Amino acid sequence: GGVPPFTLVYSNGTTNTTFNGYTSGAPIQVAPGVTTTYTIVSLTGANGCPGINNTGSATVNVVAPAVIA
């Protein structure tokens, strides 16, 4: 990879999503309806070189709001 911006592909376990123009450390917005773990599928640098051993995951916990009676 090495050369930003990157093309990042991540998965929610069902669907792969491509994020073009990613720079290291930048947040990625997601909006799952239920708790979801996202994992890195691939990373490619602007020069077309694929990343090697790119791993990682993030879990977004979705908590139902409290009901006020």
Side-chain angles (χ1 to χ4, degrees), residues 1-9 18-26 42-51:
V3 179
F6 302 99
T7 298
L8 171 68
V9 179
T18 300
F19 187 107
N20 293 306
Y22 178 72
T23 54
S24 295
S42 66
L43 183 74
T44 305
N47 58 358
C49 291

Side-chain angles (χ1 to χ4, degrees), residues 6-56:
F6 302 99
T7 298
L8 171 68
V9 179
Y10 63 91
S11 175
N12 64 4
T14 303
T15 304
N16 286 355
T17 301
T18 300
F19 187 107
N20 293 306
Y22 178 72
T23 54
S24 295
I28 298 172
Q29 285 191 312
V30 294
V34 298
T35 296
T36 303
T37 298
Y38 296 91
T39 57
I40 295 172
V41 174
S42 66
L43 183 74
T44 305
N47 58 358
C49 291
I52 299 171
N53 297 325
N54 294 298
T55 60

